[in-house]
């Protein structure tokens, strides 16, 4: 018995050390390339004479392309393997993200943001699906939390870097700082995509760095869990009311995440900070707190098994933070504190959410169901920034938009408590 436990532990430890840090870095740049337009906005809008509403639509239209191609992309990944397909995704999105540096009109802005969504479609749900090939549900909460910590870390590290790039590179070789921002932050994605093709292993059975007993132990755990899954076909997943309920929960959480992600630099700068570098460092504060909170809550979710509660409670914290940041918008210190609470809550709820659908979806149902939940939920990435832009243009304040976003997150928290108890096992 002791030898079996040792084999199980060593196999998962090896898999975690090899897979998770690398995927973490990949997702770090994926999220950075997705939301760095929030920092580019600080100067891009005035240079190109774009309105706040145009920016909001352009930032959000990414998710229309993402929505259309999400499910097909994940089904292709399930057939051809994660190694090939995720590598393709990363290289193409890196190229398109760099091309953002050369937009000259709203139309070009819309087209490239749409194409960026098409290119990246399938990356995140593909990684979530890929992790189900390696970890049973009882281990997946902390693994997904570690992987998704790349979101707050991209803000923690990426925000200061983005601010420094804007300040230091402006005018270099005739390009504005926001243009260099897109180019410099896109290059790592292309490089990592090539490395990923040679580094990842699609399934445990193909991992030469695992021993035969370690492979057998992992596959036995996954096979035992597969017998408990209710759905095994794409059609079954698409008609499962639980999948649609989870889509609504995810939509509400994403309203908060993208409302914060695309507008946080603007909110911070409007609080009185003038230097882009300082804005970058102040913006990093909420993401630092969110990184720590996410890891703590991920461990707690695995230890207690109360996964619904670990989604709902952080979401409520996000609601309180969003409302507070609107009420105290004129006080920079209180506003940043509230934004920190909002970021902690929304991003943690987002990470822990993904332990819910994988508790009852298996096989092609997992590929299609996870992709559908992600694509429907990410429509919030279109609605949230566009709505904020419209409201800010109309009211000259972001506070009313923050209240609307808070209401969406609160609904998500309430719906999370209605997810069947099967996810808590």
């Amino acid at each position: 018995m002791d030898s079996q436990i040792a084999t199980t532990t060593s196999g998962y430890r090896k898999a975690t050390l090899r897979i998770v840090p690398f995927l973490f870095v990949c997702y770090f740049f994926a999220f950075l390339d997705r939301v760095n337009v929030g920092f580019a906005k600080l100067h891009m809008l005035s240079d190109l004479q774009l309105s706040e509403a145009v920016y909001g639509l352009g930032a959000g239209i990414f998710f229309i392309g993402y929505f259309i191609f999400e499910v097909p992309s994940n089904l292709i990944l399930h057939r051809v393997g994660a190694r090939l397909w995720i590598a393709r995704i990363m290289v193409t999105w890196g190229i398109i993200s760099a091309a953002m540096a050369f937009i000259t009109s709203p139309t070009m802005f819309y087209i490239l943001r749409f194409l960026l969504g098409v290119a990246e479609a399938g990356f995140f749900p593909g990684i979530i699906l890929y992790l189900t090939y390696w970890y049973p549900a009882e281990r997946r909460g902390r693994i997904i939390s570690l992987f998704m910590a790349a979101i707050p870390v991209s803000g923690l590290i990426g925000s200061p870097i983005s601010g420094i790039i804007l300040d230091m590179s402006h005018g270099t070789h005739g390009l504005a700082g926001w243009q260099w921002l897109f180019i410099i932050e896109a290059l790592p994605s292309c490089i990592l995509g090539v490395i990923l093709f040679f580094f990842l292993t699609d399934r445990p059975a193909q991992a030469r760095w695992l021993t035969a007993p370690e492979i057998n132990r992992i596959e036995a755990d996954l096979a035992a869990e597969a017998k408990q899954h209710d759905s095994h076909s794409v059609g079954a997943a698409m008609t499962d009311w639980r999948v649609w309920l989870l889509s609504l929960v995810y939509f509400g959480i994403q309203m908060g995440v993208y409302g914060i992600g695309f507008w946080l630099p603007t909110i911070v700068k409007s609080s009185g900070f003038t230097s882009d570098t300082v804005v970058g460092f102040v913006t990093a504060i909420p993401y630092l707190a969110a990184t720590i909170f996410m890891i703590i809550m991920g461990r707690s979710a695995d230890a207690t098994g109360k996964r619904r509660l670990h989604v709902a409670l952080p979401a409520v914290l996000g609601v309180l933070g969003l409302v507070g940041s609107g009420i105290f918008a004129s006080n920079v210190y209180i506003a940043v504190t509230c934004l920190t609470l909002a970021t902690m809550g929304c991003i943690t709820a987002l990470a822990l959410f993904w332990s819910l659908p994988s508790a009852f979806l298996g096989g092609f149902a997992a590929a299609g169901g996870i992709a559908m939940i992600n694509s429907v939920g990410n429509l919030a990435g279109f609605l949230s920034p566009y709505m904020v832009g419209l409201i800010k243009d109309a009211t000259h304040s972001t506070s009313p938009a923050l209240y609307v976003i808070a209401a969406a997150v609160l609904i998500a928290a309430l719906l999370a408590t209605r997810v069947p108890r099967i996810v808590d096992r």
Side-chain angles (χ1 to χ4, degrees):
M1 180 64 68
D2 290 341
S3 63
Q4 286 185 338
I5 295 174
T7 298
T8 301
T9 303
S10 64
Y12 286 120
R13 184 188 302 116
K14 287 181 183 178
T16 299
L17 290 175
R18 183 177 180 90
I19 294 172
V20 176
F22 185 77
L23 292 180
F24 175 95
V25 174
C26 291
Y27 195 42
F28 171 94
F29 285 105
F31 203 80
L32 191 64
D33 287 345
R34 183 185 299 184
V35 302
N36 61 4
V37 68
F39 268 93
K41 170 187 179 291
L42 299 178
H43 299 283
M44 181 178 71
L45 265 62
S46 58
D47 287 355
L48 301 180
Q49 299 299 303
L50 304 179
S51 69
E52 299 281 358
V54 167
Y55 164 74
L57 178 58
I61 207 169
F62 166 97
F63 296 96
I64 301 299
Y66 197 86
F67 172 79
I68 295 171
F69 290 92
E70 184 84 319
V71 174
S73 181
N74 223 34
L75 294 177
I76 292 172
L77 181 147
H78 189 67
R79 288 189 178 278
V80 306
R83 185 171 64 99
L84 173 63
W85 198 244
I86 295 175
R88 190 283 305 165
I89 288 172
M90 292 191 68
V91 172
T92 52
W93 101 48
I95 293 171
I96 295 171
S97 184
M100 287 283 296
F102 304 102
I103 60 174
T104 57
S105 67
T107 301
M108 288 184 65
F109 183 39
Y110 297 152
I111 290 173
L112 284 176
R113 286 292 293 178
F114 177 82
L115 291 177
L116 186 63
V118 172
E120 194 183 320
F123 176 78
F124 176 77
I127 296 297
I128 298 298
L129 179 64
Y130 179 69
L131 293 175
T132 68
Y133 299 159
W134 288 86
Y135 299 96
E138 64 188 31
R139 295 176 178 269
R140 212 173 292 143
R142 74 194 74 176
I143 294 300
I144 293 176
S145 293
L146 288 172
F147 162 65
M148 291 191 66
I151 295 178
V153 171
S154 71
L156 173 63
I157 299 176
S159 295
I161 290 175
S162 296
I164 292 170
I165 290 173
L166 287 176
D167 271 341
M168 300 295 291
S169 65
H170 183 70
T172 303
H173 299 295
L175 297 179
W178 62 267
Q179 293 176 295
W180 280 114
L181 179 69
F182 284 125
I183 295 171
I184 292 171
E185 293 186 349
L187 291 176
S189 297
C190 296
I191 296 169
L192 285 168
V194 175
I195 296 173
L196 183 147
F197 180 77
F198 298 98
F199 187 77
L200 276 190
T201 305
D202 285 330
R203 303 272 184 166
Q206 301 164 346
R208 296 180 180 178
W209 38 271
L210 291 176
T211 65
E214 290 168 343
I215 292 173
N216 293 337
R217 184 68 264 168
I218 292 174
E219 293 195 328
D221 290 346
L222 295 171
E225 181 184 66
K227 294 178 181 178
Q228 302 175 24
H229 288 151
D230 299 331
S231 302
H232 293 278
S233 69
V234 176
M238 298 300 182
T239 56
D240 193 325
W241 68 271
R242 296 170 298 183
V243 171
W244 287 100
L245 175 60
L246 289 171
S247 297
L248 293 176
V249 174
Y250 195 57
F251 181 91
I253 295 171
Q254 288 284 45
M255 284 288 289
V257 170
Y258 286 114
I260 294 168
F262 284 122
W263 289 93
L264 185 56
T266 299
I267 294 171
V268 170
K269 189 159 189 174
S270 65
S271 298
F273 298 102
T274 55
S275 166
D276 292 326
T277 300
V278 173
V279 169
F281 278 101
V282 173
T283 301
I285 294 172
Y287 291 110
L288 172 61
T291 303
I292 298 170
F293 188 58
M294 176 190 293
I295 293 173
I296 293 172
M297 292 296 286
R299 291 182 178 276
S300 176
D302 279 350
T304 64
K306 297 179 179 179
R307 304 187 186 283
R308 297 178 302 167
L309 190 63
H310 281 76
V311 172
L313 289 181
V316 171
L317 178 64
V319 172
L320 297 175
L322 286 164
V323 172
S325 61
I327 294 174
F328 300 103
S330 59
N331 187 311
V332 61
Y333 300 106
I334 298 178
V336 170
T337 300
C338 290
L339 285 170
T340 298
L341 294 177
T343 306
M344 289 168 59
C346 291
I347 290 180
T348 298
L350 180 74
L352 297 181
F353 169 86
W354 285 106
S355 62
L356 305 184
S358 58
F360 61 87
L361 293 174
F364 267 102
I370 289 172
M372 191 187 80
I373 291 168
N374 194 58
S375 60
V376 171
N378 269 298
L379 286 177
F382 169 75
L383 178 61
S384 187
Y386 186 37
M387 179 198 69
V388 175
L390 289 174
I391 292 175
K392 192 170 187 294
D393 271 347
T395 67
H396 304 291
S397 171
T398 55
S399 294
L402 292 174
Y403 301 147
V404 175
I405 292 172
V409 179
L410 179 60
I411 292 172
L414 295 174
L415 290 177
T417 65
R418 309 308 301 167
V419 175
R421 292 182 181 274
I422 186 176
V423 300
D424 283 341
R425 64 190 177 197

